[in-house]
């Protein structure tokens, strides 16, 4: 397994828990947390490899950040379900009314899971972009050695 995939998976597993906890509290902060963790994954992916050039570093960072963001979608959905369960157990909601019958409750949870999925996909895109940016900025600026001139025949 390559190093950038390994870093994406390690930070991605952490992002499941961090994003889940963050999205239970404030759902819209989940994508911001995913962007930070995706940037961290991209940075760590580049630092674990022997000084790649910036374009290769950006590609590897985008892969690591994308893996982190993909796993953070799971945390975002778990957080959305947790927030809905908390709202339903306390009986208070900042807008509207809580569902009273089974059909309304199903729509309530489906809408919450759908919004969690939407925020998760946004976070995954931000994570991949932040991973690419962090990796690009921490990559090497060295260029490849120029080829020697062709001999005159």
């Amino acid at each position: 397994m390559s190093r950038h995939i390994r870093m994406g998976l390690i930070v991605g597993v952490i992002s499941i828990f961090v994003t889940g906890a963050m999205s239970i509290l404030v759902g819209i902060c989940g994508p911001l947390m995913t962007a930070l963790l995706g940037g961290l994954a991209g940075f760590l992916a580049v630092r674990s490899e022997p000084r790649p050039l910036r374009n290769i570093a950006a590609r590897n960072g985008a892969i690591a950040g994308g893996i982190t963001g993909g796993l953070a979608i799971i945390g975002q959905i778990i957080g959305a379900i947790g927030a809905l369960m908390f709202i339903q157990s306390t009986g208070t909601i900042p807008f509207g009314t809580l569902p009273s019958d089974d059909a309304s409750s199903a729509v309530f949870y489906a809408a919450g899971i759908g919004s969690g999925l939407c925020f998760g996909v946004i976070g995954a895109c931000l994570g991949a972009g932040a991973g690419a940016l962090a990796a690009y900025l921490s990559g090497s600026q060295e260029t490849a050695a120029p080829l020697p001139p062709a001999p005159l025949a």
Side-chain angles (χ1 to χ4, degrees):
M1 179 183 314
S2 62
R3 294 176 183 165
H4 59 278
I5 292 176
R6 185 177 308 130
M7 285 300 154
L9 288 172
I10 290 170
V11 178
V13 169
I14 294 168
S15 75
I16 291 173
F17 298 107
V18 172
T19 306
M22 182 62 70
S23 61
I24 285 176
L25 299 175
V26 182
I28 200 160
C29 291
L32 300 176
M33 189 57 61
T34 304
L36 290 173
L37 291 169
L40 176 66
F43 176 77
L44 292 176
V46 170
R47 289 297 169 198
S48 68
E49 295 177 1
R51 299 291 292 164
L53 296 177
R54 281 189 161 180
N55 58 348
I56 297 170
R59 184 194 66 202
N60 292 346
I63 291 170
I67 291 171
T68 299
L71 290 173
I73 291 174
I74 297 169
Q76 187 74 33
I77 292 173
I78 290 170
I81 293 170
L84 292 173
M85 289 170 50
F86 177 74
I87 288 171
Q88 200 166 28
S89 69
T90 60
T92 59
I93 190 169
F95 54 88
T97 60
L98 286 172
S100 57
D101 59 344
D102 288 339
S104 298
S105 182
V107 170
F108 178 72
Y109 276 98
I113 292 170
S115 65
L117 179 64
C118 181
F119 282 138
V121 170
I122 291 169
C125 294
L126 290 174
L133 179 65
Y136 178 80
L137 294 175
S138 62
S140 176
Q141 293 182 8
E142 299 171 3
T143 58
L147 296 174
L152 298 173

